[in-house]
Amino acid sequence: MSTPIGSPDEGGIATLDRELEELIREESVEPGDHERFSHYVKKDKILESALTGKPVRALCGKKWTPGRDPEKFPVCPTCKEIYASLGGAPS
C-alpha cells in the first residue's frame, strides 16, 4: 500500500512546530544594558511595537519591547557611535 503524497506524516504539524519554535527564538527579548540606556530605533518600529507589542532592535543590536520614558536614561554609547558613523548628529 502506498502513502499518498502530502500526507500529514510528511511535515505538516511537525514543520509548523519547528517554524514556530524558530520564530519564538528570534523574537526573544535579550537581557542586558537596555535597562540602563536609551537606544536608537527607527520611529516607525517604535510605533509598530506600541501597536503590536513586538520587540524592536536598536542600532547596537539590542532587542527588547519598549515601555519606558527614554528621556530618563543616557543614550547607549554603541547606538550613539553607530548613528554618528552613519552621518547622524555628532557624538
Side-chain angles (χ1 to χ4, degrees):
M1 183 170 180
S2 66
T3 304
I5 296 176
S7 70
D9 296 335
E10 292 182 19
I13 303 241
T15 301
L16 291 175
D17 285 345
R18 279 194 310 275
E19 291 173 358
L20 180 58
E21 287 172 4
E22 183 177 334
L23 181 62
I24 290 170
R25 269 195 308 277
E26 290 174 1
E27 293 294 327
S28 67
V29 177
E30 297 173 359
D33 68 358
H34 65 275
E35 295 299 328
R36 298 185 300 152
F37 295 112
S38 292
H39 294 273
Y40 290 167
V41 178
K42 290 183 177 181
K43 287 182 183 180
D44 62 327
K45 295 297 181 184
I46 295 287
L47 178 58
E48 181 182 340
S49 177
L51 295 173
T52 65
K54 290 174 64 175
V56 296
R57 185 168 305 275
L59 283 179
C60 68
K62 206 46 92 170
K63 193 172 189 178
W64 84 107
T65 304
R68 60 190 174 90
D69 182 2
E71 298 293 323
K72 295 181 180 180
F73 300 88
V75 174
C76 165
T78 306
C79 281
K80 194 173 188 178
E81 183 180 320
I82 293 169
Y83 184 71
S85 75
L86 295 173
S91 50

